[in-house]
Amino acid sequence: MTVLKDRIMRAESDNTTRLDELFGRLERMPVPEEFRVEIVGGNVHTTPQRDTHWHIIRRIVRAVEDRFGMDVKVFSDVRIDFPGHGNGFCPDVAKLSEDARKDETGHWRHEDVDFVAEVISEGTAANDYGPKKTAYAVAGVPVYLIADPYQGKCHLYTDPKDGEYLTETTVRFGRVLDLTGTPLGLTLETDGFPRD
């Protein structure tokens, strides 16, 4: 193993240990169940989940299950550590590859993520459009979808390279989002997506 690889692995291990400690503390705190908690760039963010938010998440998960079956590895609000300091994200929707496996610490690996969807909340929109988008691109997540009920639009990011997405497609709610040319291979109906 090269010195550089050894340093990277040690840094990732240290990062996971710090995130484990932070999440452990958060789990012991009286955070209401309807709030989601994640760590972005070492900062803790808690957001209440609104019915609009959940309604969109449910429609995206259902479309993924319809395409891949009920045994598909698709999660909502489950921790996955992404590249960068202190990035313990809990994506609104994350689809993992069929052969995905947990690492030695019991966490899902970002290398196995095929698709992430985030539904915008007022308080955390800057994270979804900023540091999380960058971390997903650095991790090589092939498809990143932002559903924004405030704008009434979906923003689709594909072709990650060198820490950024090279392709962006925007579709207004009510139109069909064509994902057939991506690893998802499906079309997503957005006419039922509510607006805030």
Side-chain angles (χ1 to χ4, degrees):
M1 184 176 300
T2 67
V3 173
L4 180 59
K5 278 188 180 180
D6 188 41
R7 284 183 187 160
I8 290 170
M9 288 182 64
R10 210 171 28 249
E12 286 176 355
S13 177
D14 291 347
N15 194 39
T16 297
T17 301
R18 281 193 296 275
L19 288 169
D20 285 346
E21 290 171 6
L22 273 171
F23 275 108
R25 288 180 188 160
L26 291 167
E27 287 173 4
R28 292 187 296 276
M29 292 176 66
V31 177
E33 283 189 33
E34 65 275 10
F35 278 72
R36 65 188 294 259
V37 178
E38 64 184 348
I39 301 171
V40 179
N43 297 309
V44 176
H45 296 269
T46 59
T47 311
Q49 190 174 80
R50 302 168 337 280
D51 56 343
T52 300
H53 197 254
W54 172 240
H55 190 76
I56 294 171
I57 291 169
R58 191 172 55 86
R59 287 182 175 271
I60 294 169
V61 168
R62 180 165 289 165
V64 172
E65 289 175 342
D66 287 349
R67 165 69 174 84
F68 293 97
M70 291 300 293
D71 292 329
V72 65
K73 290 178 181 159
V74 63
F75 302 102
S76 180
D77 202 22
V78 171
R79 175 185 161 194
I80 302 171
D81 296 347
F82 284 89
H85 171 71
N87 285 331
F89 300 162
C90 301
D92 289 325
V93 180
K95 182 209 171 282
L96 280 61
S97 62
E98 191 175 302
D99 59 345
R101 57 185 167 73
K102 291 184 178 183
D103 65 18
E104 62 281 348
T105 64
H107 299 104
W108 292 107
R109 300 167 351 114
H110 66 81
E111 295 90 348
D112 295 328
V113 178
D114 288 338
F115 166 70
V116 168
E118 297 285 5
V119 181
I120 294 298
S121 296
E122 255 183 324
T124 60
N127 288 338
D128 295 331
Y129 284 110
K132 289 173 76 173
K133 180 178 152 194
T134 299
Y136 294 146
V138 168
V141 174
V143 183
Y144 176 39
L145 174 66
I146 294 177
D148 192 328
Y150 300 98
Q151 296 178 357
K153 295 178 182 177
C154 286
H155 301 277
L156 177 67
Y157 301 94
T158 56
D159 304 319
K161 185 173 181 173
D162 298 328
E164 66 178 317
Y165 285 101
L166 301 181
T167 305
E168 178 182 355
T169 305
T170 301
V171 173
R172 290 191 178 281
F173 283 11
R175 301 222 169 148
V176 174
L177 182 58
D178 184 1
L179 299 162
T180 55
T182 73
L184 285 183
L186 58 83
T187 55
L188 181 62
E189 301 285 339
T190 66
D191 56 342
F193 285 13
R195 293 192 61 168
D196 270 340

